[in-house]
PDB file of all heavy atoms in Angstrom:
ATOM      1  N   ARG H   1       8.577  38.570 -32.136  1.00 91.00           N
ATOM      2  CA  ARG H   1       8.029  38.341 -30.718  1.00 91.00           C
ATOM      3  C   ARG H   1       6.987  37.267 -30.664  1.00 91.00           C
ATOM      4  O   ARG H   1       6.520  36.777 -31.640  1.00 91.00           O
ATOM      5  CB  ARG H   1       7.412  39.747 -30.313  1.00 91.00           C
ATOM      6  CG  ARG H   1       8.362  40.806 -30.234  1.00 91.00           C
ATOM      7  CD  ARG H   1       7.865  42.162 -29.882  1.00 91.00           C
ATOM      8  NE  ARG H   1       8.869  43.135 -29.783  1.00 91.00           N
ATOM      9  CZ  ARG H   1       9.586  43.478 -28.801  1.00 91.00           C
ATOM     10  NH1 ARG H   1       9.568  42.748 -27.705  1.00 91.00           N
ATOM     11  NH2 ARG H   1      10.568  44.362 -28.851  1.00 91.00           N
ATOM     12  N   ALA H   2       6.806  36.817 -29.384  1.00 89.00           N
ATOM     13  CA  ALA H   2       5.870  35.755 -29.184  1.00 89.00           C
ATOM     14  C   ALA H   2       4.432  36.079 -29.381  1.00 89.00           C
ATOM     15  O   ALA H   2       4.025  37.184 -28.941  1.00 89.00           O
ATOM     16  CB  ALA H   2       6.045  35.086 -27.854  1.00 89.00           C
ATOM     17  N   PRO H   3       3.685  35.501 -30.187  1.00 87.00           N
ATOM     18  CA  PRO H   3       2.292  35.920 -30.482  1.00 87.00           C
ATOM     19  C   PRO H   3       1.395  35.636 -29.362  1.00 87.00           C
ATOM     20  O   PRO H   3       0.233  36.320 -29.229  1.00 87.00           O
ATOM     21  CB  PRO H   3       1.943  35.179 -31.743  1.00 87.00           C
ATOM     22  CG  PRO H   3       2.692  33.884 -31.675  1.00 87.00           C
ATOM     23  CD  PRO H   3       4.011  34.356 -31.020  1.00 87.00           C
ATOM     24  N   VAL H   4       1.653  34.623 -28.516  1.00 86.00           N
ATOM     25  CA  VAL H   4       0.837  34.203 -27.355  1.00 86.00           C
ATOM     26  C   VAL H   4       1.757  33.886 -26.225  1.00 86.00           C
ATOM     27  O   VAL H   4       2.908  33.784 -26.267  1.00 86.00           O
ATOM     28  CB  VAL H   4      -0.002  32.867 -27.766  1.00 86.00           C
ATOM     29  CG1 VAL H   4      -0.973  33.175 -28.853  1.00 86.00           C
ATOM     30  CG2 VAL H   4       1.002  31.755 -28.182  1.00 86.00           C
ATOM     31  N   THR H   5       1.047  33.724 -25.125  1.00 87.00           N
ATOM     32  CA  THR H   5       1.719  33.352 -23.824  1.00 87.00           C
ATOM     33  C   THR H   5       1.791  31.915 -23.698  1.00 87.00           C
ATOM     34  O   THR H   5       0.795  31.204 -23.694  1.00 87.00           O
ATOM     35  CB  THR H   5       1.008  33.970 -22.516  1.00 87.00           C
ATOM     36  OG1 THR H   5       1.027  35.427 -22.743  1.00 87.00           O
ATOM     37  CG2 THR H   5       1.663  33.466 -21.289  1.00 87.00           C
ATOM     38  N   GLU H   6       2.971  31.336 -23.731  1.00 87.00           N
ATOM     39  CA  GLU H   6       3.158  29.873 -23.839  1.00 87.00           C
ATOM     40  C   GLU H   6       4.570  29.514 -23.427  1.00 87.00           C
ATOM     41  O   GLU H   6       5.509  30.381 -23.366  1.00 87.00           O
ATOM     42  CB  GLU H   6       2.663  29.375 -25.131  1.00 87.00           C
ATOM     43  CG  GLU H   6       2.516  27.868 -25.271  1.00 87.00           C
ATOM     44  CD  GLU H   6       1.530  27.440 -24.268  1.00 87.00           C
ATOM     45  OE1 GLU H   6       0.350  27.360 -24.587  1.00 87.00           O
ATOM     46  OE2 GLU H   6       1.937  27.020 -23.168  1.00 87.00           O
ATOM     47  N   ARG H   7       4.754  28.243 -23.288  1.00 89.00           N
ATOM     48  CA  ARG H   7       6.048  27.674 -22.955  1.00 89.00           C
ATOM     49  C   ARG H   7       6.889  27.369 -24.210  1.00 89.00           C
ATOM     50  O   ARG H   7       6.274  26.680 -25.167  1.00 89.00           O
ATOM     51  CB  ARG H   7       5.917  26.403 -21.961  1.00 89.00           C
ATOM     52  CG  ARG H   7       7.287  25.802 -21.601  1.00 89.00           C
ATOM     53  CD  ARG H   7       7.032  24.653 -20.602  1.00 89.00           C
ATOM     54  NE  ARG H   7       6.032  23.791 -21.132  1.00 89.00           N
ATOM     55  CZ  ARG H   7       6.318  22.809 -21.893  1.00 89.00           C
ATOM     56  NH1 ARG H   7       7.580  22.516 -22.383  1.00 89.00           N
ATOM     57  NH2 ARG H   7       5.351  21.953 -22.337  1.00 89.00           N
ATOM     58  N   ILE H   8       8.145  27.613 -24.202  1.00 89.00           N
ATOM     59  CA  ILE H   8       9.031  27.271 -25.400  1.00 89.00           C
ATOM     60  C   ILE H   8       9.417  25.817 -25.297  1.00 89.00           C
ATOM     61  O   ILE H   8       9.963  25.343 -24.304  1.00 89.00           O
ATOM     62  CB  ILE H   8      10.242  28.213 -25.438  1.00 89.00           C
ATOM     63  CG1 ILE H   8       9.832  29.655 -25.679  1.00 89.00           C
ATOM     64  CG2 ILE H   8      11.254  27.707 -26.643  1.00 89.00           C
ATOM     65  CD1 ILE H   8      10.977  30.573 -25.644  1.00 89.00           C
ATOM     66  N   THR H   9       9.117  25.119 -26.399  1.00 89.00           N
ATOM     67  CA  THR H   9       9.480  23.721 -26.407  1.00 89.00           C
ATOM     68  C   THR H   9      10.654  23.422 -27.421  1.00 89.00           C
ATOM     69  O   THR H   9      11.417  22.289 -27.262  1.00 89.00           O
ATOM     70  CB  THR H   9       8.247  22.819 -26.862  1.00 89.00           C
ATOM     71  OG1 THR H   9       7.910  23.156 -28.205  1.00 89.00           O
ATOM     72  CG2 THR H   9       7.135  22.997 -25.911  1.00 89.00           C
ATOM     73  N   GLN H  10      11.023  24.280 -28.315  1.00 89.00           N
ATOM     74  CA  GLN H  10      12.148  24.142 -29.199  1.00 89.00           C
ATOM     75  C   GLN H  10      12.623  25.474 -29.726  1.00 89.00           C
ATOM     76  O   GLN H  10      11.852  26.349 -30.020  1.00 89.00           O
ATOM     77  CB  GLN H  10      11.603  23.272 -30.365  1.00 89.00           C
ATOM     78  CG  GLN H  10      12.702  22.893 -31.353  1.00 89.00           C
ATOM     79  CD  GLN H  10      12.127  21.922 -32.539  1.00 89.00           C
ATOM     80  OE1 GLN H  10      10.997  21.517 -32.342  1.00 89.00           O
ATOM     81  NE2 GLN H  10      12.960  21.795 -33.500  1.00 89.00           N
ATOM     82  N   LEU H  11      13.947  25.518 -29.940  1.00 91.00           N
ATOM     83  CA  LEU H  11      14.598  26.710 -30.471  1.00 91.00           C
ATOM     84  C   LEU H  11      15.251  26.227 -31.760  1.00 91.00           C
ATOM     85  O   LEU H  11      15.894  25.157 -31.703  1.00 91.00           O
ATOM     86  CB  LEU H  11      15.540  27.403 -29.527  1.00 91.00           C
ATOM     87  CG  LEU H  11      14.921  28.077 -28.431  1.00 91.00           C
ATOM     88  CD1 LEU H  11      15.947  28.597 -27.374  1.00 91.00           C
ATOM     89  CD2 LEU H  11      13.962  29.371 -28.951  1.00 91.00           C
ATOM     90  N   GLY H  12      15.329  27.088 -32.838  1.00 89.00           N
ATOM     91  CA  GLY H  12      15.905  26.681 -34.114  1.00 89.00           C
ATOM     92  C   GLY H  12      17.117  27.478 -34.499  1.00 89.00           C
ATOM     93  O   GLY H  12      17.408  27.492 -35.768  1.00 89.00           O
ATOM     94  N   PHE H  13      17.686  28.289 -33.648  1.00 90.00           N
ATOM     95  CA  PHE H  13      18.806  29.044 -33.993  1.00 90.00           C
ATOM     96  C   PHE H  13      19.866  29.130 -32.744  1.00 90.00           C
ATOM     97  O   PHE H  13      19.424  28.878 -31.619  1.00 90.00           O
ATOM     98  CB  PHE H  13      18.412  30.539 -34.415  1.00 90.00           C
ATOM     99  CG  PHE H  13      17.718  31.328 -33.202  1.00 90.00           C
ATOM    100  CD1 PHE H  13      18.586  32.199 -32.544  1.00 90.00           C
ATOM    101  CD2 PHE H  13      16.547  31.176 -32.701  1.00 90.00           C
ATOM    102  CE1 PHE H  13      18.065  32.906 -31.431  1.00 90.00           C
ATOM    103  CE2 PHE H  13      15.980  31.861 -31.724  1.00 90.00           C
ATOM    104  CZ  PHE H  13      16.792  32.762 -31.037  1.00 90.00           C
ATOM    105  N   SER H  14      21.088  29.583 -33.111  1.00 90.00           N
ATOM    106  CA  SER H  14      22.052  29.816 -32.126  1.00 90.00           C
ATOM    107  C   SER H  14      22.587  31.294 -32.221  1.00 90.00           C
ATOM    108  O   SER H  14      22.178  32.034 -33.141  1.00 90.00           O
ATOM    109  CB  SER H  14      23.309  28.829 -32.297  1.00 90.00           C
ATOM    110  OG  SER H  14      22.825  27.465 -32.180  1.00 90.00           O
ATOM    111  N   ASP H  15      23.338  31.689 -31.385  1.00 90.00           N
ATOM    112  CA  ASP H  15      23.754  33.106 -31.366  1.00 90.00           C
ATOM    113  C   ASP H  15      24.404  33.527 -32.705  1.00 90.00           C
ATOM    114  O   ASP H  15      25.290  32.882 -33.231  1.00 90.00           O
ATOM    115  CB  ASP H  15      24.802  33.308 -30.254  1.00 90.00           C
ATOM    116  CG  ASP H  15      24.251  33.097 -28.834  1.00 90.00           C
ATOM    117  OD1 ASP H  15      23.112  33.142 -28.696  1.00 90.00           O
ATOM    118  OD2 ASP H  15      25.056  32.913 -27.872  1.00 90.00           O
ATOM    119  N   GLY H  16      23.808  34.607 -33.329  1.00 89.00           N
ATOM    120  CA  GLY H  16      24.444  35.248 -34.475  1.00 89.00           C
ATOM    121  C   GLY H  16      24.228  34.397 -35.645  1.00 89.00           C
ATOM    122  O   GLY H  16      24.883  34.740 -36.642  1.00 89.00           O
ATOM    123  N   ASP H  17      23.450  33.291 -35.727  1.00 91.00           N
ATOM    124  CA  ASP H  17      23.244  32.484 -36.826  1.00 91.00           C
ATOM    125  C   ASP H  17      22.636  33.224 -38.058  1.00 91.00           C
ATOM    126  O   ASP H  17      21.927  34.277 -37.863  1.00 91.00           O
ATOM    127  CB  ASP H  17      22.291  31.356 -36.594  1.00 91.00           C
ATOM    128  CG  ASP H  17      23.033  30.099 -35.963  1.00 91.00           C
ATOM    129  OD1 ASP H  17      24.243  30.048 -35.942  1.00 91.00           O
ATOM    130  OD2 ASP H  17      22.303  29.115 -35.687  1.00 91.00           O
ATOM    131  N   TYR H  18      23.006  32.676 -39.342  1.00 93.00           N
ATOM    132  CA  TYR H  18      22.317  33.372 -40.410  1.00 93.00           C
ATOM    133  C   TYR H  18      21.178  32.411 -40.828  1.00 93.00           C
ATOM    134  O   TYR H  18      21.265  31.137 -40.825  1.00 93.00           O
ATOM    135  CB  TYR H  18      23.258  33.298 -41.710  1.00 93.00           C
ATOM    136  CG  TYR H  18      22.649  33.851 -42.834  1.00 93.00           C
ATOM    137  CD1 TYR H  18      22.674  35.295 -43.128  1.00 93.00           C
ATOM    138  CD2 TYR H  18      22.039  33.064 -43.884  1.00 93.00           C
ATOM    139  CE1 TYR H  18      21.949  35.840 -44.295  1.00 93.00           C
ATOM    140  CE2 TYR H  18      21.435  33.610 -45.033  1.00 93.00           C
ATOM    141  CZ  TYR H  18      21.354  35.055 -45.170  1.00 93.00           C
ATOM    142  OH  TYR H  18      20.781  35.603 -46.246  1.00 93.00           O
ATOM    143  N   VAL H  19      19.932  32.984 -40.854  1.00 93.00           N
ATOM    144  CA  VAL H  19      18.677  32.065 -41.043  1.00 93.00           C
ATOM    145  C   VAL H  19      18.119  32.508 -42.431  1.00 93.00           C
ATOM    146  O   VAL H  19      18.206  33.611 -42.871  1.00 93.00           O
ATOM    147  CB  VAL H  19      17.698  32.307 -39.967  1.00 93.00           C
ATOM    148  CG1 VAL H  19      18.352  31.789 -38.577  1.00 93.00           C
ATOM    149  CG2 VAL H  19      17.345  33.733 -39.735  1.00 93.00           C
ATOM    150  N   GLN H  20      17.356  31.629 -42.948  1.00 93.00           N
ATOM    151  CA  GLN H  20      16.636  31.783 -44.289  1.00 93.00           C
ATOM    152  C   GLN H  20      15.158  32.118 -43.957  1.00 93.00           C
ATOM    153  O   GLN H  20      14.674  31.907 -42.844  1.00 93.00           O
ATOM    154  CB  GLN H  20      16.676  30.477 -45.086  1.00 93.00           C
ATOM    155  CG  GLN H  20      18.092  30.095 -45.465  1.00 93.00           C
ATOM    156  CD  GLN H  20      18.714  30.883 -46.523  1.00 93.00           C
ATOM    157  OE1 GLN H  20      17.998  31.673 -47.100  1.00 93.00           O
ATOM    158  NE2 GLN H  20      20.052  30.743 -46.611  1.00 93.00           N
ATOM    159  N   LYS H  21      14.628  32.833 -44.823  1.00 93.00           N
ATOM    160  CA  LYS H  21      13.184  33.267 -44.700  1.00 93.00           C
ATOM    161  C   LYS H  21      12.327  32.053 -44.555  1.00 93.00           C
ATOM    162  O   LYS H  21      12.441  31.007 -45.247  1.00 93.00           O
ATOM    163  CB  LYS H  21      12.814  33.944 -46.034  1.00 93.00           C
ATOM    164  CG  LYS H  21      11.309  34.515 -46.034  1.00 93.00           C
ATOM    165  CD  LYS H  21      11.004  35.199 -47.230  1.00 93.00           C
ATOM    166  CE  LYS H  21       9.468  35.595 -47.267  1.00 93.00           C
ATOM    167  NZ  LYS H  21       9.076  36.363 -48.403  1.00 93.00           N
ATOM    168  N   GLY H  22      11.565  32.097 -43.533  1.00 91.00           N
ATOM    169  CA  GLY H  22      10.544  31.042 -43.200  1.00 91.00           C
ATOM    170  C   GLY H  22      11.127  29.945 -42.273  1.00 91.00           C
ATOM    171  O   GLY H  22      10.590  28.974 -41.827  1.00 91.00           O
ATOM    172  N   GLN H  23      12.535  30.042 -41.960  1.00 92.00           N
ATOM    173  CA  GLN H  23      13.106  29.112 -41.086  1.00 92.00           C
ATOM    174  C   GLN H  23      12.463  29.262 -39.656  1.00 92.00           C
ATOM    175  O   GLN H  23      12.278  30.313 -39.091  1.00 92.00           O
ATOM    176  CB  GLN H  23      14.528  29.351 -41.028  1.00 92.00           C
ATOM    177  CG  GLN H  23      15.358  28.262 -40.113  1.00 92.00           C
ATOM    178  CD  GLN H  23      16.820  28.525 -40.209  1.00 92.00           C
ATOM    179  OE1 GLN H  23      17.364  29.022 -41.285  1.00 92.00           O
ATOM    180  NE2 GLN H  23      17.594  28.250 -39.144  1.00 92.00           N
ATOM    181  N   MET H  24      12.352  27.944 -39.043  1.00 92.00           N
ATOM    182  CA  MET H  24      11.806  28.079 -37.657  1.00 92.00           C
ATOM    183  C   MET H  24      12.744  28.571 -36.773  1.00 92.00           C
ATOM    184  O   MET H  24      14.008  28.227 -36.709  1.00 92.00           O
ATOM    185  CB  MET H  24      11.356  26.534 -37.312  1.00 92.00           C
ATOM    186  CG  MET H  24      10.817  26.421 -35.962  1.00 92.00           C
ATOM    187  SD  MET H  24      12.023  26.180 -34.583  1.00 92.00           S
ATOM    188  CE  MET H  24      12.514  24.550 -34.980  1.00 92.00           C
ATOM    189  N   LEU H  25      12.349  29.566 -35.831  1.00 92.00           N
ATOM    190  CA  LEU H  25      13.083  30.100 -34.776  1.00 92.00           C
ATOM    191  C   LEU H  25      12.791  29.479 -33.351  1.00 92.00           C
ATOM    192  O   LEU H  25      13.611  29.299 -32.608  1.00 92.00           O
ATOM    193  CB  LEU H  25      12.963  31.546 -34.787  1.00 92.00           C
ATOM    194  CG  LEU H  25      13.374  32.419 -36.069  1.00 92.00           C
ATOM    195  CD1 LEU H  25      13.151  33.883 -35.865  1.00 92.00           C
ATOM    196  CD2 LEU H  25      14.732  32.156 -36.344  1.00 92.00           C
ATOM    197  N   ALA H  26      11.435  29.314 -33.252  1.00 91.00           N
ATOM    198  CA  ALA H  26      10.968  28.756 -31.940  1.00 91.00           C
ATOM    199  C   ALA H  26       9.683  28.015 -32.034  1.00 91.00           C
ATOM    200  O   ALA H  26       8.918  28.460 -33.084  1.00 91.00           O
ATOM    201  CB  ALA H  26      10.906  29.849 -30.840  1.00 91.00           C
ATOM    202  N   VAL H  27       9.380  27.055 -31.318  1.00 88.00           N
ATOM    203  CA  VAL H  27       8.165  26.309 -31.207  1.00 88.00           C
ATOM    204  C   VAL H  27       7.541  26.509 -29.740  1.00 88.00           C
ATOM    205  O   VAL H  27       8.313  26.209 -28.861  1.00 88.00           O
ATOM    206  CB  VAL H  27       8.318  24.883 -31.519  1.00 88.00           C
ATOM    207  CG1 VAL H  27       6.961  24.183 -31.552  1.00 88.00           C
ATOM    208  CG2 VAL H  27       8.747  24.655 -33.012  1.00 88.00           C
ATOM    209  N   LEU H  28       6.323  26.970 -29.721  1.00 87.00           N
ATOM    210  CA  LEU H  28       5.697  27.073 -28.402  1.00 87.00           C
ATOM    211  C   LEU H  28       4.857  25.803 -28.148  1.00 87.00           C
ATOM    212  O   LEU H  28       4.369  25.185 -29.166  1.00 87.00           O
ATOM    213  CB  LEU H  28       4.894  28.278 -28.378  1.00 87.00           C
ATOM    214  CG  LEU H  28       5.588  29.626 -28.710  1.00 87.00           C
ATOM    215  CD1 LEU H  28       4.717  30.887 -28.487  1.00 87.00           C
ATOM    216  CD2 LEU H  28       6.833  29.855 -27.900  1.00 87.00           C
ATOM    217  N   ALA H  29       4.565  25.492 -26.917  1.00 83.00           N
ATOM    218  CA  ALA H  29       3.776  24.349 -26.618  1.00 83.00           C
ATOM    219  C   ALA H  29       2.398  24.474 -27.359  1.00 83.00           C
ATOM    220  O   ALA H  29       1.781  25.474 -27.273  1.00 83.00           O
ATOM    221  CB  ALA H  29       3.629  24.224 -25.063  1.00 83.00           C
ATOM    222  N   GLN H  30       2.062  23.327 -27.967  1.00 78.00           N
ATOM    223  CA  GLN H  30       0.823  23.370 -28.711  1.00 78.00           C
ATOM    224  C   GLN H  30      -0.128  22.073 -28.478  1.00 78.00           C
ATOM    225  O   GLN H  30      -0.750  21.660 -29.416  1.00 78.00           O
ATOM    226  CB  GLN H  30       1.119  23.558 -30.164  1.00 78.00           C
ATOM    227  CG  GLN H  30       2.239  22.610 -30.611  1.00 78.00           C
ATOM    228  CD  GLN H  30       2.682  22.935 -31.982  1.00 78.00           C
ATOM    229  OE1 GLN H  30       2.576  22.192 -32.870  1.00 78.00           O
ATOM    230  NE2 GLN H  30       3.258  24.122 -32.242  1.00 78.00           N
ATOM    231  N   GLY H  31       0.040  21.393 -27.428  1.00 68.00           N
ATOM    232  CA  GLY H  31      -0.690  20.157 -27.130  1.00 68.00           C
ATOM    233  C   GLY H  31      -2.097  20.386 -27.212  1.00 68.00           C
ATOM    234  O   GLY H  31      -2.808  19.603 -27.931  1.00 68.00           O
ATOM    235  N   GLN H  32      -2.614  21.325 -26.641  1.00 71.00           N
ATOM    236  CA  GLN H  32      -4.173  21.580 -26.579  1.00 71.00           C
ATOM    237  C   GLN H  32      -4.549  21.990 -27.850  1.00 71.00           C
ATOM    238  O   GLN H  32      -5.671  21.516 -28.426  1.00 71.00           O
ATOM    239  CB  GLN H  32      -4.443  22.600 -25.455  1.00 71.00           C
ATOM    240  CG  GLN H  32      -5.906  22.865 -25.444  1.00 71.00           C
ATOM    241  CD  GLN H  32      -6.267  24.001 -24.311  1.00 71.00           C
ATOM    242  OE1 GLN H  32      -5.367  24.314 -23.604  1.00 71.00           O
ATOM    243  NE2 GLN H  32      -7.452  24.397 -24.229  1.00 71.00           N
ATOM    244  N   GLU H  33      -3.814  22.737 -28.536  1.00 69.00           N
ATOM    245  CA  GLU H  33      -4.245  23.209 -30.018  1.00 69.00           C
ATOM    246  C   GLU H  33      -4.243  22.030 -30.881  1.00 69.00           C
ATOM    247  O   GLU H  33      -5.010  21.982 -31.863  1.00 69.00           O
ATOM    248  CB  GLU H  33      -3.330  24.356 -30.314  1.00 69.00           C
ATOM    249  CG  GLU H  33      -3.541  25.712 -29.726  1.00 69.00           C
ATOM    250  CD  GLU H  33      -3.029  25.654 -28.304  1.00 69.00           C
ATOM    251  OE1 GLU H  33      -2.215  24.831 -27.950  1.00 69.00           O
ATOM    252  OE2 GLU H  33      -3.574  26.380 -27.557  1.00 69.00           O
ATOM    253  N   THR H  34      -3.167  21.077 -30.809  1.00 70.00           N
ATOM    254  CA  THR H  34      -3.153  20.020 -31.640  1.00 70.00           C
ATOM    255  C   THR H  34      -4.387  19.135 -31.422  1.00 70.00           C
ATOM    256  O   THR H  34      -5.014  18.606 -32.467  1.00 70.00           O
ATOM    257  CB  THR H  34      -1.779  19.218 -31.407  1.00 70.00           C
ATOM    258  OG1 THR H  34      -0.734  19.958 -31.574  1.00 70.00           O
ATOM    259  CG2 THR H  34      -1.799  17.982 -32.350  1.00 70.00           C
TER     260      THR H  34
END
């Protein structure tokens, strides 16, 4: 689940994909935090 309220800027998976531990699933907007 999303830890904060923010806009999604990137997704790292497709439907039913096999993912590895630590693989990026989503990136939320982080301009202000950067």
Side-chain angles (χ1 to χ4, degrees):
R1 300 180 180 274
V4 295
T5 300
E6 194 54 87
R7 178 174 54 85
I8 296 176
T9 61
Q10 186 179 351
L11 289 173
F13 69 95
S14 298
D15 295 340
D17 272 355
Y18 183 83
V19 295
Q20 298 290 340
K21 179 179 180 180
Q23 181 176 329
M24 182 271 291
L25 299 179
V27 176
L28 307 181
Q30 51 189 241
Q32 183 177 350
E33 286 69 26
T34 301

